[in-house]
Amino acid sequence: MSLEKTPAETCVLVTGGAGFIGSHTVVELLEGGYQVVIVDDLSNASEKVLGRIAQIVGAEAAERLSFIRADVADRDALETVFETFAIDRVIHFAGFKAVGESVSKPIEYYSNNLGNTLVLVDVMRAYGCKDIVFSSSATVYGDPDALPLTELSPKKMATNPYGWTKWMIEQILSDLVVADPAWNVVLLRYFNPIGAHGSGLIGEDPKGIPNNLLPYVAQVAVGKRDCVHVFGNDYDTPDGTGVRDYIHVVDLAAGHVAALAWMNGRTGCEIFNLGTGTGTSVLEIVKAFSAACGRELPYVIEARRPGDVTANWADCTKAHELMGWTAKRGIAEMCRDSWNWQSHNPDGYED
Ligand code: UFG
C-alpha cells in the first residue's frame, strides 16, 4: 500500500524523462510541486532538454529536479539511484519506440524494452517502491472492431515487435499485482501525442527521417523535406485517409500528473486511455498545419503503409470520471505549438 503523500513529499523517478513525452511530463510534475529524478541514457534525447526544462519552470522549481545519465537496464546504476533518492513512485517511459525499426531489430527491442522493465521492477521491489505508471499505447488495441475504444475493448495481436513490447509489459505489470497486491500499477494507453510545449523550448526531435506524421509535416513546413507523403487515400474514412486521435503532448503530460494524484494511497492495476475522443484524418492534419504555418503544404498520395489501421480514437470517459482528467487542446493548438517549436528549433536540440 503506497502512503498518501503531498506532491512536495513525493519523489518521482521518471525513466526516459529527457524524451519527448518524458520532458513535457517532467515540466508538469515540477510545476505541480513534485520532486523529480530523471534517469535517461540520452540514446534518443539531448542533455539540452534539462536546461530548457529549467528555463520553463524557473530556478526554484528546477532545484527539485535531478538527472542521472544511465541505462535503466543497468542494475548497479539503478540501485545507486534508489540508494541516493527516496523514490516514492516511478513513471516508466524509457524504451525504443520506432515501429518500423522494431521490425528489423526485434532482438534489440525485446531485449531493451522488456529487459529494462524487468530490471526496474526488480530494483523497485528490493527498495519497497511498488507504485508505477507505465507508458503504454493504443497500439495494444490493434485493428479495432468498434470505435471509440474503451479500456474494455479487447487487446488484439500486435503488428510489430514495438507493439508487442507494450502489450507484454502491460501483462508483466498486471501479473505483478496478482502476485503481490501491494503493487500499484497504472497503465496509460496513449493515442497519438503531437504538439509541443507552448514556450517553444521543448518538443519532438526525431533522429533522421521522421516515421510519424506530425514531425514529418513540421519538417516539410520548415523546408527540410519537400512534401508530405500521405499513406493511402482509399481507407473507409470520410476523405479516404487514415484517422487518428491526436492529443497535445501537454495534455498527455497532465494525464500523468493526474494519474500520480489518483493512485496516491491505492493499490491494484488500472488502465486509462489518454486521447481526446476525436478522430482527425491525415489530410485534415495537413490542412490544419498549413493554417498554422501560413502556407499550403504540398502532399502526394502514396500506397498504404503496411500495418496501419484505418482509424482509431479513444473513449476517455474513465480518465475523466476517475482522475478528473480531460484533454483541453484541439488540433489547431497542437499544430500551432508544433510549428512554434519547429520554426524556432529547425534542427531540434542540435546547434
Ligand atoms: N502517415 C502518413 N504519412 C507519414 C506518416 C504517417 O500519411 O509520413 C499516416 C499514417 O498512415 C497514419 C497517420 O498518418 O494514418 C498517423 O501515423 P503515425 O505514424 O503518426 O502514427 P501511428 O498511428 O501509426 O502510430 C502511433 C504511434 C505509435 C503507436 C501507434 C498506436 O507513433 O507509437 O500510434 O496507435 F504504436
Side-chain angles (χ1 to χ4, degrees):
M1 172 81 142
S2 65
L3 291 173
E4 280 201 54
K5 288 186 171 183
T6 65
E9 295 165 341
T10 307
C11 184
V12 186
L13 166 60
V14 183
T15 75
F20 174 45
I21 306 173
S23 58
H24 288 80
T25 300
V26 167
V27 166
E28 297 302 307
L29 289 172
L30 292 170
E31 290 183 339
Y34 287 94
Q35 300 170 52
V36 179
V37 179
I38 294 176
V39 171
D40 198 305
D41 64 0
L42 302 179
S43 59
N44 191 25
S46 162
E47 199 159 8
K48 280 196 193 134
V49 169
L50 303 166
R52 301 283 183 93
I53 291 173
Q55 227 178 310
I56 294 169
V57 300
E60 208 177 311
E63 275 178 24
R64 286 185 270 106
L65 174 63
S66 305
F67 169 67
I68 310 296
R69 182 172 184 169
D71 180 346
V72 176
D74 179 345
R75 178 181 293 268
D76 291 342
L78 206 58
E79 282 176 349
T80 305
V81 169
F82 277 81
E83 289 289 339
T84 312
F85 303 94
I87 305 290
D88 296 292
R89 301 212 171 96
V90 176
I91 304 181
H92 181 36
F93 291 108
F96 294 159
K97 62 173 188 181
V99 172
E101 185 185 60
S102 78
V103 175
S104 52
K105 295 182 171 175
I107 297 175
E108 286 78 359
Y109 270 68
Y110 288 117
S111 167
N112 185 62
N113 294 8
L114 300 182
N116 78 11
T117 303
L118 291 171
V119 170
L120 174 64
V121 292
D122 197 23
V123 172
M124 286 175 68
R125 176 175 61 173
Y127 285 84
C129 172
K130 295 183 177 179
D131 288 19
I132 183 166
V133 176
F134 175 60
S135 170
S136 189
S137 165
T139 197
V140 301
Y141 294 119
D143 202 353
D145 297 326
L147 293 169
L149 289 156
T150 76
E151 292 81 357
L152 296 175
S153 299
K155 279 174 82 169
K156 296 272 201 75
M157 302 284 274
T159 53
N160 54 74
Y162 158 80
W164 278 119
T165 67
K166 294 294 180 192
W167 205 106
M168 290 176 189
I169 294 168
E170 284 199 350
Q171 187 64 42
I172 291 168
L173 296 178
S174 47
D175 288 344
L176 282 183
V177 179
V178 174
D180 175 2
W183 278 90
N184 186 5
V185 172
V186 175
L187 307 175
L188 299 180
R189 292 180 179 161
Y190 313 152
F191 281 71
N192 288 53
I194 64 168
H197 193 265
S199 63
L201 288 167
I202 57 173
E204 191 167 13
D205 181 19
K207 304 250 185 301
I209 302 170
N211 299 301
N212 297 114
L213 179 63
L214 255 291
Y216 201 102
V217 171
Q219 292 196 2
V220 172
V222 85
K224 289 179 80 173
R225 315 227 167 248
D226 291 341
C227 74
V228 181
H229 298 263
V230 177
F231 299 146
N233 68 347
D234 56 352
Y235 284 106
D236 183 16
T237 61
D239 66 16
T241 64
V243 167
R244 297 289 184 274
D245 185 342
Y246 297 95
I247 173 171
H248 197 297
V249 67
V250 174
D251 280 329
L252 188 65
H256 293 74
V257 181
L260 281 191
W262 178 81
M263 75 197 292
N264 198 357
R266 285 175 196 274
T267 55
C269 179
E270 210 67 59
I271 302 171
F272 294 99
N273 284 341
L274 297 182
T276 63
T278 305
T280 305
S281 75
V282 176
L283 290 181
E284 285 171 331
I285 288 286
V286 174
K287 201 171 161 206
F289 210 101
S290 298
C293 72
R295 167 169 91 82
E296 283 305 305
L297 297 177
Y299 65 86
V300 286
I301 307 291
E302 306 266 354
R304 291 183 179 194
R305 184 172 66 177
D308 273 349
V309 301
T310 299
N312 70 9
W313 62 86
D315 179 328
C316 300
T317 310
K318 185 177 174 187
H320 181 58
E321 288 183 352
L322 269 61
M323 308 197 295
W325 172 89
T326 190
K328 298 190 183 107
R329 297 159 177 86
I331 290 290
E333 198 168 347
M334 299 181 212
C335 292
R336 182 198 71 193
D337 291 343
S338 173
W339 172 239
N340 184 38
W341 153 255
Q342 187 72 48
S343 54
H344 288 99
N345 305 270
D347 297 314
Y349 294 106
E350 276 172 35
D351 284 326

